[in-house]
Amino acid sequence: MLGARGGWRALRRCASLPRAVRLRVREALGAREAAEAVRVQGWVRSVRSQKEVLFLHINDGSSLESLQVVADPSLEKRDLTFGSAVEVQGKLVKSPHRMQNMELQAETIHVVGPCDIWSFPLKMKERHPLEYVRQFPHLRCRNNTLGALLRIRSEATAGIHSFFQDNGYVHIHTPIITSNDCEGAGELFQIETSREAKESAENTHFFNVPAFLTVSGQLHLEVMAGISYSEAVEILKQAPQTFTFKPEWGCDLQTEHEKYLVKHCGEVPVFVVNYPYDLKPFYMRDNEDGPEHTVAAVDLLVPGVGELCGGSLREERLPFLESRLQRLGLTDAYQWYLDLRKFGSVPHGGFGMGFERYLQYILGVDNIKDVIPFPRFSHSCVL
């Protein structure tokens, strides 16, 4: 154990040593001047050993471009391979090559986590199809394309939240589990207890009532070309192509219909308004253009994706709402919703945007599975 004087002497010696500044790859690449003591951590993207010099490219996920590391061949280790996690310390200098701004002259290379390149599913210098990479959701961020998508997803999330925050909106986390089947019976995933729990419990419902995974956050929360739903159906009926789902008034528009309508209108975003009354949730406002004919609903269709946003005016008139819920046999279940109309309601509306579809649209990604970090779809729940 050091005495007081010995401790202070040791601290002074440590303070006099140069301390390596930790930089992210993005910061190192964007540096404007050289730095004597720099520490960078990341995964090895490529290794090339020559007689007089060892080249590495490392990336930590902060940038699409990797940082080149130049080292003496004596620093090469057996476990310094593609995919391994490393910490490199050295000097950040101007690169002599035109394709890059800075490079790192390594003084030490520490392999933090080795990688078995024979069983590692992502191979160096190989362009893997997205369908293949999709099988390894825990490793997808190591792929350049998926890594870029995740960074854009993060920026888009922050940008959208910032816009609404700056414009006076309040962020509300609506329930994921709900007892309200607002989209119609049979369209929700129902939550049930295990068989063993059912056998031992008097009430088979965990929440004492049937519960579902919600499909409408709008229920609880309370610009381009434009055509009506009726016009859209007529356009589809006169289309020169054959659809898998035959367009008929009163039926929902399928993705193939939505994409055709966008194409028909000149590959620009299209608003479709005034959908059939029986096609939409109970809370959408009756247009009073006939006995329960259409509601004041709108969908925004965009090229390559189809529906991006959906919204409506809400039915703020209590008699209309009571009549519809009574006809559906839902009056008791939605008494709380009727209370909102009894106690100081005002005319209002709302909309929801498919965030993953938004990313698909701006990035031109064909399959929605590739803009979701851990996609869940029929017959697939990896991890």
Side-chain angles (χ1 to χ4, degrees):
M1 184 174 178
L2 294 172
R5 290 184 179 178
W8 282 112
R9 280 198 297 270
L11 285 172
R12 282 198 295 270
R13 280 200 304 272
C14 290
S16 65
L17 293 174
R19 296 185 63 188
V21 177
R22 181 174 176 244
L23 295 180
R24 302 180 74 184
V25 167
R26 181 176 60 185
E27 295 168 336
L29 291 170
R32 295 187 177 182
E33 55 186 33
E36 283 296 316
V38 168
R39 180 166 49 98
V40 179
Q41 300 167 332
W43 287 279
V44 176
R45 289 295 178 88
S46 69
V47 185
R48 184 160 50 93
S49 182
Q50 298 181 354
K51 186 176 181 180
E52 297 181 354
V53 66
L54 171 67
F55 290 104
L56 301 178
H57 282 89
I58 64 174
N59 201 304
D60 59 0
S62 64
S63 168
L64 183 62
E65 184 182 355
S66 296
L67 175 66
Q68 177 168 281
V69 176
V70 182
D72 189 277
S74 62
L75 295 179
E76 186 174 12
K77 302 176 179 64
R78 180 179 296 180
D79 53 1
L80 183 60
T81 62
F82 170 70
S84 59
V86 297
E87 179 179 275
V88 183
Q89 185 167 322
K91 298 178 181 178
L92 189 67
V93 300
K94 287 283 185 180
S95 175
H97 302 287
R98 287 190 229 170
M99 301 298 292
Q100 56 202 15
N101 179 40
M102 307 296 286
E103 66 182 25
L104 185 60
Q105 292 182 351
E107 296 172 352
T108 63
I109 300 177
H110 173 54
V111 178
V112 179
C115 176
D116 180 359
I117 58 173
W118 303 112
S119 59
F120 188 45
L122 305 179
K123 305 303 179 185
M124 187 168 64
K125 295 183 180 179
E126 189 170 332
R127 293 180 66 87
H128 299 289
L130 294 180
E131 292 79 8
Y132 172 78
V133 182
R134 206 178 294 146
Q135 302 174 64
F136 313 99
H138 54 304
L139 299 173
R140 292 204 305 170
C141 60
R142 307 271 200 99
N143 174 272
N144 274 345
T145 302
L146 272 301
L149 284 173
L150 290 176
R151 283 191 291 274
I152 293 172
R153 180 186 175 95
S154 176
E155 291 293 331
T157 301
I160 290 171
H161 278 271
S162 177
F163 172 82
F164 283 109
Q165 189 75 24
D166 292 344
N167 284 276
Y169 288 81
V170 177
H171 185 197
I172 304 295
H173 291 277
T174 56
I176 296 174
I177 298 174
T178 178
S179 60
N180 305 135
D181 184 359
C182 65
E183 299 289 351
E187 294 190 8
L188 302 183
F189 290 97
Q190 185 166 353
I191 300 171
E192 296 184 350
T193 55
S194 66
R195 181 181 301 174
E196 293 79 8
K198 284 181 179 179
E199 293 174 352
S200 61
E202 293 182 6
N203 193 325
T204 58
H205 297 298
F206 184 82
F207 296 101
N208 293 331
V209 295
F212 311 88
L213 296 181
T214 188
V215 294
S216 178
Q218 297 182 54
L219 173 68
H220 294 82
L221 280 178
E222 284 290 309
V223 84
M224 306 175 198
I227 57 176
S228 69
Y229 169 88
S230 298
E231 291 171 325
V233 171
E234 287 305 311
I235 292 171
L236 294 170
K237 285 183 175 181
Q238 296 172 23
Q241 72 182 64
T242 302
F243 297 105
T244 303
F245 296 90
K246 186 178 179 181
E248 294 288 350
W249 202 97
C251 296
D252 207 355
L253 297 180
Q254 303 297 320
T255 301
E256 59 176 345
H257 302 149
E258 294 168 346
K259 289 183 176 181
Y260 179 83
L261 290 170
V262 172
K263 183 179 178 181
H264 175 83
C265 293
E267 292 291 356
V268 296
V270 179
F271 282 111
V272 180
V273 301
N274 300 332
Y275 279 79
Y277 182 92
D278 289 329
L279 197 59
K280 292 296 184 179
F282 69 86
Y283 52 76
M284 295 191 176
R285 198 177 199 274
D286 190 340
N287 280 326
E288 297 184 86
D289 53 353
E292 300 177 350
H293 187 57
T294 68
V295 292
V298 58
D299 284 345
L300 173 59
L301 315 181
V302 296
V305 174
E307 182 189 343
L308 176 62
C309 298
S312 73
L313 294 179
R314 305 308 198 230
E315 186 58 83
E316 86 285 0
R317 300 165 296 184
L318 184 60
F320 282 78
L321 199 56
E322 286 178 326
S323 175
R324 190 166 191 184
L325 286 174
Q326 187 174 8
R327 186 169 64 88
L328 295 172
L330 298 174
T331 304
D332 292 339
Y334 287 94
Q335 187 58 51
W336 65 272
Y337 198 76
L338 294 174
D339 285 348
L340 295 177
R341 301 302 183 264
K342 292 179 181 178
F343 309 129
S345 179
V346 296
H348 62 287
F351 75 95
M353 181 182 75
F355 180 64
E356 282 75 24
R357 294 186 182 187
Y358 165 71
L359 293 176
Q360 265 192 285
Y361 174 49
I362 64 173
L363 298 173
V365 176
D366 292 330
N367 198 311
I368 197 170
K369 301 182 185 75
D370 295 322
V371 295
I372 303 173
F374 297 94
R376 302 293 188 244
F377 50 97
S378 179
H379 309 301
S380 178
C381 185
V382 182
L383 296 187

